[in-house]
Amino acid sequence: GRLAVRIAERLGLDADRVRTIELAARLHALEDAGVTELDPIPSLSEVGALIRGYRALTDAGGRRTTRAVRARGPLGVHIVAVADGYDEHLAGLRGPRLGRRLALQQLRSDPATFRTEVIDALAAVVAQRSDAGRRRRRVDGSDEERGAA
């Protein structure tokens, strides 16, 4: 959910849309009956629609479907799918575990390419997180040199 939030924020979506995408990202693994239960709840019906869109974008094996389907998919659906696909690559759920850079390359080279702006936003979020980690290690390293614990 957090990665989808960062991507949505990077794309400049409003707070309500970001919250909806976060819920869809957190609940995307619900069984069909659970998704159907969201529909009568006005504040959650859009979450259910995003989850159904995510499932239409992917097949049962987690692979992406044809380009024509993806081209029409709403931005929120692509955000949920890209965040999930990236996490799956990092965790090794789609083959060998990949590092951040390789996972991003794999998503870019996937024959069923996602929306470019979503992949670009993911790349920016990943780069931002990597830079923060490097800065933290440099600061931590300099503290150790001074004898700080």
Side-chain angles (χ1 to χ4, degrees), residues 1 4 14 21 23-24 29 49 58 60 83-84 91 97 119 121 130-131 135 142:
D14 65 65
I21 289 168
L23 283 172
T58 59
D84 183 53
R97 292 179 77 170
I119 295 289
S130 296
D131 289 345
R135 282 192 300 274
S142 63

Side-chain angles (χ1 to χ4, degrees), residues 35 47-58 65 69 73-74 76-78 81:
V35 175
V47 172
L50 284 177
I51 294 170
R52 280 189 294 282
Y54 162 80
R55 290 182 180 165
L57 189 64
T58 59
T65 56
V69 172
V77 169
H78 286 264

Side-chain angles (χ1 to χ4, degrees), residues 68-147:
V69 172
R70 283 191 325 279
R72 287 189 296 258
L75 186 61
V77 169
H78 286 264
I79 293 170
V80 171
V82 165
D84 183 53
Y86 181 77
D87 286 343
E88 287 176 354
H89 283 305
L90 292 182
L93 299 176
R94 295 171 150 212
R97 292 179 77 170
L98 301 178
R100 290 177 178 174
R101 187 174 43 107
L102 289 175
L104 186 58
Q105 286 175 351
Q106 185 64 37
L107 287 173
R108 284 190 191 277
S109 68
D110 190 328
T113 307
F114 297 105
R115 281 184 165 190
T116 304
E117 69 265 32
V118 177
I119 295 289
D120 290 346
L122 170 65
V125 167
V126 169
Q128 189 176 32
R129 290 171 70 188
S130 296
D131 289 345
R134 278 191 221 103
R135 282 192 300 274
R136 204 171 26 255
R137 283 191 294 277
R138 276 193 298 252
V139 169
D140 290 347
S142 63
D143 286 346
E144 289 174 14
E145 292 171 9
R146 291 190 303 248

Side-chain angles (χ1 to χ4, degrees), residues 3-57:
L3 181 57
V5 166
R6 288 188 191 113
I7 294 169
E9 289 173 342
R10 181 74 185 194
L11 290 168
L13 300 182
D14 65 65
D16 288 339
R17 191 81 180 122
V18 171
R19 275 192 299 278
T20 300
I21 289 168
E22 179 182 18
L23 283 172
R26 291 179 183 266
L27 299 174
H28 76 274
L30 275 178
E31 293 184 15
D32 289 337
V35 175
T36 303
E37 294 291 323
L38 299 176
D39 289 336
I41 305 167
S43 61
L44 296 177
S45 62
E46 190 175 351
V47 172
L50 284 177
I51 294 170
R52 280 189 294 282
Y54 162 80
R55 290 182 180 165
L57 189 64

